[in-house]
Amino acid sequence: MPGDLKDGRIVIVGASLAGLRAAEALREEGFTGSLTVVGDEPHPPYDRPPLSKQVLLGQATADTTGLPMRRDPDAEWRLGVRATGVDLLAKQVLLEGGESLPYDRLLIATGTRARPWPDQEEGALDGVFTLRTREDAGGLAERLAAGPERVLVIGGGFTGSEIASACRERGLEVTVAERGPAPLVGALGGTLSKLAAAMQRNHGVDLRTGVTVTALRGNGSFTGAELSDGSRVDADVCVVALGAIRNVEWLAESGLAAGPRGIACDAGCRAFNMYGIVTDDVFVAGDVSRFPHPLFGYQMLSLEHWGNAVEQAKVAAHNMVNPGPLQHPHLAVPSFWSTQFGLNIKSVGVPTYSDHVVIAQGSLEARRLAMVYGYQGRVTAAVTVDMAKSLDYYRHLIETAAPFPPPPGAQDRAIAADIAVPSDVPDPSGLSHGPIVALTGHLPDRRLSVVQPTR
Amino acid sequence: MPSETLLARITDYASRPNPYPLYAELREAGPVVQQADGSYLVGTYHEIASLLHDPRMSADPRSRGEVTHKPPFLRLDDPEHHRLRTLAMRPFGPPHNPGRVDAMRGEIDRITKELMESFEAGRQIDVVDDFAYPLPVTVICRLLGVPHEDEPLFRAWSDALVAAADVRPEQDTTETDKAGDQARIEMGGYLVNLAEQRRGKPSDDMLSAFVNEPDPALRLTQEELAETAVLLLIAGHETTVNLITNGVLTLLRQPEHLDQLRRDPDLLPRVVEELLRYEPPVHMRERIPLADMDIAGTPIAQGAPVVLVLASGNRDPRRFHDPERFDPTRPDNEHLGFGSGIHVCYGAPLARIEAQAALGALLPHLGTARLVQDPPPYRQNAMLRGPRHLPIQL
């Protein structure tokens, strides 16, 4: 009976943005049953975008980024508690310490964590940081406020670039080491990454590209790093910004389709099991999910975007308490933003799902532009630099699969608007950090067979 | 077809007290409705919002081949619009002056109190002349650095300019256009002269900031200064007066909401947002397509006038639940009262503070007040719509 869906026991694993928004949405949808939210961090849900911006600049402290609750989700919060597994048959979430939580429906929103420096000993040197949690940001902000001689940032993705920007704004010397040809190249492709490189150098960043960091040095405290080109960077703070790892290990024995690329689900956020069969009581939302998107060839997408966590949480919550025919698909056009070196960068669509780009408005020289990405003759993404108000227009072109290059007539139309150049999206394996949009479809590399459940 | 005369009927002065049934008719006729004179009306929320963000829609009258002077940034396209708007923003708002508008709260409250000193129970006042007009004029004069005693001077110029900017289909506008041009030149000259007096002797106002900008790359030319200052002075008061007056009128017409607000003055910001949706000062904006394009299935030729009826979009039932109802507790109120896109109202933060201060201060008087004339007499203008007078008995 549909009415039953509004009642019963729902467990949400993951107490960050997606978990909180889903909990709120469940109540908005009329869910009256018991709701439990499990999170391994001891804090109530907090917001991460300020951690690499305002917090590092000293404009806010790490403990002030708590997410506002739009309504009290009337949930039992199990914070500081790690989930260790799911028993799909018995419908139980297993917690550390042996406790188990029964559920009627389960939402997995465990997100990602920072990829640590591969050498554990080197990564443990004092002065070496990653940036993902409140504690990370608080510790790093404190260290930056103390005025280090030089900061080494490993990885020129969005997190690394924002950290470098914050350092320069504080007047600190900073070196960025990026394995790819330019910062942000993995997310934005070749042309815009040139602007990103120019911005970093103009703002006094010591930008090293095409190099990897081979070793971190120090005796207890970090003192410098060795690079693959034989050079050495002397620095007293190091931030490892090598992208994120999806928090899926706890599901290894669950039988869900959970792997390094995330947990696969359908367009309605319903998780697949390891054979691609959809479950009807396990849902996924946020960074940890990967889902098929019709605008991008139904490729499985994995997005580390604030907006995706919010949208997907809403859809998942709706579908958890409504019967099949009333369920919603998650069709939101991906979008993200970043501020760095005084620039406002906003993206819609999936820039990496492209073969060509044009500068539709503005110019690289003006540092104000709209770059439109196309794949096989249709518009699939747009990135604006200090031109965010045009973004809705390009979103519409993406949603309607408009032909690429976009039609003429735009104000501030660049001469380059008709000249499509290769989008120059690199193979993610050539970057030091993971892409924040991953197309996760892949070919099977071994013969498939069914392993029968033991029970 | 009735739709052929919709724009004429909307702009007809007889429709001024209540154009909303005509807007409903417009939305019924389709998202894009061609008029007999070749122009197009757009009255549905999503289409208006989309066109306001469409870089192919020009605000510059020269895009239609009109030979004219270089307009102020309100009627320019990027990149010129962006440059001038950014320069005009430097002494007014973020990132260079983030606290400027907020710091005026105290002064706005003081001006409001002064204006209300003579308000006594039993007296009849005109909300427009006694309160809603002098408040924003005083504020914008302080902010720009214009002597308040020159008000009669720029009031005449302002009237002429606003009349010239109205939408008037099927009318000979030669005379009003000429008068508008003349007013613009005189007012521009007056403001440039004021600014020049402050060169090298800056005081704490925007005209001073414009002429004393140290970076040559960020200086306005004299022509740009004239256009910008005229725009700021006019837009700085012609709209807020309507917002405040419409607010008083709406609250007196809806005693239950007035009571609710008197009990809970914390609702004021939301009342002002709902007013901007329900009775916005700016009803229409005109745009010009820079290329042949298709809007919601209707082909539109390059250069054809497209009138975006913002006030109609604000009452589109496909966007707002129960849109004809004034509801300050509305949860999702992304109205078009300040427009949207690159031309989104520059003065919105100031307008919000002024309207909140004005309505908040009047609240104690409104409990026993009553409308002397309903509907009140309206101003001629269909684009900037509001009562010419609003007599009330305190």
Side-chain angles (χ1 to χ4, degrees), chain B residues 30 35 86 134 139 177 184 193 259 267 335 355 368 392:
Chain B
Q35 303 298 295
T86 307
V139 172
D177 287 350
R184 181 182 53 77
N193 182 42
D259 279 352
L267 263 182
H335 58 73
T368 51
I392 63 171

Side-chain angles (χ1 to χ4, degrees), chain A residues 387-401:
Chain A
M387 208 182 247
K389 296 216 171 76
S390 294
L391 215 60
D392 276 358
Y393 169 64
Y394 294 110
R395 183 195 312 274
H396 183 71
L397 295 185
I398 297 164
E399 283 170 340
T400 53

Side-chain angles (χ1 to χ4, degrees), chain A residues 24 32 83 88 91 130 188 198 257 357 377 394 451:
Chain A
E24 291 170 344
T32 53
L88 293 179
K91 297 182 85 150
T130 53
L188 304 179
V357 294
Y394 294 110
V451 181

Side-chain angles (χ1 to χ4, degrees), chain B residues 127 247-255 258 366-367 369-371 390 392:
Chain B
V127 173
V248 174
L249 178 60
T250 303
L251 288 173
L252 288 180
R253 279 175 177 171
Q254 316 223 11
L258 180 57
L366 293 183
R370 60 174 188 83
L371 291 168
L390 183 64
I392 63 171

Side-chain angles (χ1 to χ4, degrees), chain A residues 41-131:
Chain A
E41 287 190 68
H43 318 291
Y46 59 90
D47 211 13
R48 294 183 200 277
L51 297 183
S52 57
K53 304 175 182 81
Q54 289 88 338
V55 172
L56 294 192
L57 288 170
Q59 296 165 347
T61 57
D63 54 6
T64 56
T65 76
L67 279 166
M69 284 193 196
R70 295 177 308 164
R71 57 171 296 152
D72 183 359
D74 187 19
E76 185 189 346
W77 294 87
R78 303 289 303 269
L79 300 176
V81 175
R82 185 175 298 274
T84 56
V86 174
D87 185 333
L88 293 179
L89 210 52
K91 297 182 85 150
Q92 289 187 333
V93 175
L94 313 176
L95 302 182
E96 63 186 345
E99 197 188 340
S100 58
L101 287 176
Y103 64 80
D104 294 307
R105 275 145 293 154
L106 168 67
L107 176 66
I108 300 170
T110 44
T112 63
R113 63 184 185 275
R115 183 181 302 282
W117 183 246
D119 183 307
Q120 209 176 347
E121 209 170 303
E122 292 177 7
L125 289 169
D126 182 52
V128 177
F129 292 86
T130 53
L131 181 53

Side-chain angles (χ1 to χ4, degrees), chain B residues 55-109:
Chain B
R56 295 171 300 166
M57 297 300 280
S58 169
D60 189 335
R62 293 172 301 178
S63 309
R64 223 177 36 218
E66 249 176 66
V67 184
T68 172
H69 62 284
K70 185 167 128 185
F73 65 81
L74 174 70
R75 305 222 57 189
L76 282 176
D77 298 338
D78 279 351
E80 198 57 356
H81 157 266
H82 179 73
R83 186 180 76 84
L84 288 171
R85 181 175 163 125
T86 307
L87 296 189
M89 191 53 93
R90 283 174 70 81
F92 181 72
H96 302 283
N97 261 299
R100 178 65 179 259
V101 171
D102 205 48
M104 293 194 71
R105 273 178 199 271
E107 195 166 359
I108 291 170
D109 285 340

Side-chain angles (χ1 to χ4, degrees), chain B residues 286-307:
Chain B
E286 191 179 319
R287 292 287 187 271
I288 302 144
L290 292 169
D292 292 346
M293 52 195 277
D294 182 287
I295 305 171
T298 306
I300 294 189
Q302 179 183 352
V306 178
V307 178

